[in-house]
């Protein structure tokens, strides 16, 4: 009796094709899922990094608000006599225009020109001058800047320069003391009646992904005016 020729039949070939297709679809699904996860995590990471950048910068400046050198009493010798008003209201928030104005001691003078410079001997005298002013022997110089943050057109800008985009919401809540001489925060308000009562600022920021890969994320942080909290 002759032996039948060995080989694959049509059924075996069909089964092999189906199994191969199933495996290929599984591998493709794993690849697509991994890519989707990467894209989502990357978009979320970018949003977190943007929020961390702008919030850390604002917190640093807010902490320095109202810091005018080593003496509390400062003589105003500025060109337009505008330092006194800035000293009285070192922080202000206009919700209608989304503008936060800070009068802050400059952490660095590199590449920037201060609005005022306070020259003081840290003993009995302190005087504010417009722009840059060189201290004399026995004096220290404290550069003071006016910083204007603005939320408009889905952006937060500083002095007109964009800091972060894709901002869907930006809000401030101020921690207030009962009196100008009190340090403890007893209430919170978005519209403080007196800037002298402000002791802390709660900043809330919501960012969105322009590509729509992830949902909008809300970030918040609290910054204390360290020269007013003892």
């Amino acid at each position: 009796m002759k032996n039948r020729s060995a080989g694959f039949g049509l059924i075996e070939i069909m089964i092999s094709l189906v199994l191969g297709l199933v495996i290929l679809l599984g591998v493709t699904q794993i690849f697509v899922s991994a890519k989707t996860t990467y894209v989502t995590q990357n978009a979320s990471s970018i949003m977190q990094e943007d929020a961390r950048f702008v919030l850390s910068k604002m917190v640093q400046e807010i902490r320095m608000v109202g810091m005018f050198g080593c003496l509390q009493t400062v003589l105003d010798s500025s060109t337009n006599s505008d330092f006194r008003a800035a000293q009285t209201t070192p922080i202000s928030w206009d919700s209608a225009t989304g503008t936060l104005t800070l009068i802050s001691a400059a952490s660095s003078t590199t590449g920037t020109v201060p609005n005022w410079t306070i020259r003081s001997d840290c003993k009995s005298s302190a005087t504010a001058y417009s722009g840059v002013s060189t201290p004399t022997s026995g004096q220290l110089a404290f550069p003071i800047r006016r910083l204007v943050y603005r939320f408009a057109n889905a952006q937060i800008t500083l002095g007109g320069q964009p800091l972060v985009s894709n901002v869907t919401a930006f809000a401030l809540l101020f921690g207030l003391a009962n009196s100008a001489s009190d340090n403890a925060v007893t209430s919170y308000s978005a519209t403080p009646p007196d800037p002298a009562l402000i002791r802390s600022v709660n900043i809330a920021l919501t960012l969105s992904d322009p590509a729509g890969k992830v949902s909008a994320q809300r970030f918040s942080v609290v910054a204390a005016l360290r020269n007013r909290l003892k």
Side-chain angles (χ1 to χ4, degrees):
M1 181 180 293
K2 294 182 178 180
N3 293 329
R4 295 182 178 180
S5 300
F8 294 102
L10 179 61
I11 295 177
E12 287 85 352
I13 293 175
M14 293 292 292
I15 292 174
S16 299
L17 289 175
V18 170
L19 290 176
L21 183 60
V22 170
I23 294 173
L24 180 61
L25 289 175
V27 172
T28 302
Q29 183 63 38
I30 293 174
F31 175 77
V32 171
S33 298
K35 184 177 180 180
T36 301
T37 300
Y38 169 78
V39 171
T40 301
Q41 291 179 344
N42 188 58
S44 180
S45 177
I46 291 174
M47 292 168 58
Q48 292 175 9
E49 192 62 31
D50 287 344
R52 185 182 298 110
F53 167 73
V54 68
L55 291 177
S56 62
K57 183 172 182 59
M58 295 181 71
V59 166
Q60 180 183 12
E61 303 295 356
I62 289 173
R63 285 175 176 170
M64 297 297 290
V65 162
M67 195 281 184
F68 300 114
C70 47
L71 297 179
Q72 294 294 325
T73 302
V74 180
L75 178 66
D76 186 3
S77 291
S78 56
T79 303
N80 299 316
S81 299
D82 54 359
F83 175 77
R84 182 67 60 220
Q87 184 183 27
T88 303
T89 310
I91 181 171
S92 62
W93 165 244
D94 185 346
S95 58
T97 61
T99 302
L100 174 66
T101 303
L102 308 175
I103 308 300
S104 169
S107 57
S108 172
T109 57
T110 303
T112 62
V113 177
N115 296 87
W116 306 275
T117 298
I118 296 177
R119 289 162 38 186
S120 174
D121 60 7
C122 291
K123 295 179 181 179
S124 59
S125 66
T127 306
Y129 301 90
S130 295
V132 178
S133 183
T134 304
T136 61
S137 178
Q139 288 185 330
L140 294 176
F142 301 91
I144 308 297
R145 297 177 299 174
R146 176 188 283 114
L147 304 173
V148 180
Y149 291 90
R150 188 180 182 192
F151 168 51
N153 301 320
Q155 283 188 330
I156 292 180
T157 61
L158 173 59
Q161 299 299 316
L163 290 180
V164 63
S165 302
N166 306 311
V167 183
T168 58
F170 178 70
L172 300 180
L173 191 63
F174 297 89
L176 307 176
N178 285 328
S179 66
S181 60
D182 192 5
N183 294 320
V185 174
T186 58
S187 61
Y188 296 88
S189 174
T191 55
D194 183 356
L197 302 179
I198 298 175
R199 297 295 179 269
S200 64
V201 183
N202 186 310
I203 311 169
L205 173 71
T206 302
L207 299 180
S208 63
D209 175 26
K213 300 297 183 181
V214 293
S215 302
Q217 296 185 28
R218 184 179 183 273
F219 306 88
S220 64
V221 67
V222 177
L225 280 65
R226 65 183 187 184
N227 68 306
R228 293 186 177 181
L229 295 178
K230 301 178 181 179

